[in-house]
Amino acid sequence: GMGWARQPLRCECNSPSSQGHIYYPIEHALEHCMARRYGRSLLGTHAQFCAAYFHTDRSDEAANAVLCLDPQNCSRKPNVVLLAQLERIGEICEELYLCRFTNCFRGYSDSLHAEAFLMEDPALLRHLRAQPLRRDLDAPPVL
């Protein structure tokens, strides 16, 4: 498996009624360690990176043309891509967790959001429960 990669019961990301998915194979959660193990990047290809984080359609209102890093291959699809990172802060910062989440299309009224996958991720919850919170009078609580 690809780490914790819960596939919703009715995932329709590949269906003709869907607007498509940026990443193939479709994974709604992909941990960094698993991506590295398979020689992949969490950001995907150049075209996937553009579609997820950069691509902007032409807008007269904003007075900008299309902004695209890879016009020949950009796989622009309406999708949310969320990266979550958890670090232990000390003399040396240690990455504890890094994962990419995406939405899942299950019809327009029943889709699952990337944030829902994040909030239910067993690996992230395990890390959060295991780490003590640091309290500082001048700063918000951090791990």
Side-chain angles (χ1 to χ4, degrees):
M2 293 298 294
W4 179 80
R6 181 182 81 145
Q7 293 297 329
L9 296 176
R10 287 187 24 239
C11 178
E12 297 177 21
C13 289
N14 253 348
S15 74
S17 63
S18 170
Q19 295 173 338
H21 201 273
I22 296 169
Y23 301 103
Y24 289 94
I26 294 172
E27 299 156 330
H28 298 291
L30 176 62
E31 288 184 44
H32 185 223
C33 62
M34 297 306 289
R36 275 196 318 227
R37 182 178 297 162
Y38 293 102
R40 296 169 51 200
S41 165
L42 282 183
L43 299 178
T45 65
H46 199 206
Q48 289 166 330
F49 173 77
C50 180
Y53 299 102
F54 186 84
H55 189 100
T56 307
D57 291 328
R58 181 179 176 276
S59 169
D60 292 331
E61 199 172 291
N64 67 276
V66 171
L67 302 174
C68 186
L69 297 172
D70 193 345
Q72 300 298 323
N73 300 306
C74 183
S75 56
R76 181 66 181 144
K77 310 256 186 314
N79 202 350
V80 172
V81 179
L82 171 68
L83 286 178
Q85 181 177 13
L86 183 63
E87 292 180 333
R88 180 179 295 126
I89 299 172
E91 289 183 29
I92 299 174
C93 288
E94 175 189 3
E95 180 182 290
L96 300 175
Y97 172 89
L98 179 60
C99 190
R100 178 187 76 206
F101 300 94
T102 59
N103 286 356
C104 177
F105 181 77
R106 298 182 348 161
Y108 288 99
S109 62
D110 197 25
S111 292
L112 294 175
H113 297 276
E115 297 86 350
F117 289 103
L118 171 119
M119 292 186 302
E120 295 177 6
D121 184 1
L124 176 59
L125 294 173
R126 194 170 42 253
H127 282 294
L128 290 173
R129 288 181 185 120
Q131 299 302 314
L133 289 178
R134 184 185 81 194
R135 299 278 182 196
D136 186 357
L137 297 176
D138 298 326
V142 296
L143 293 178

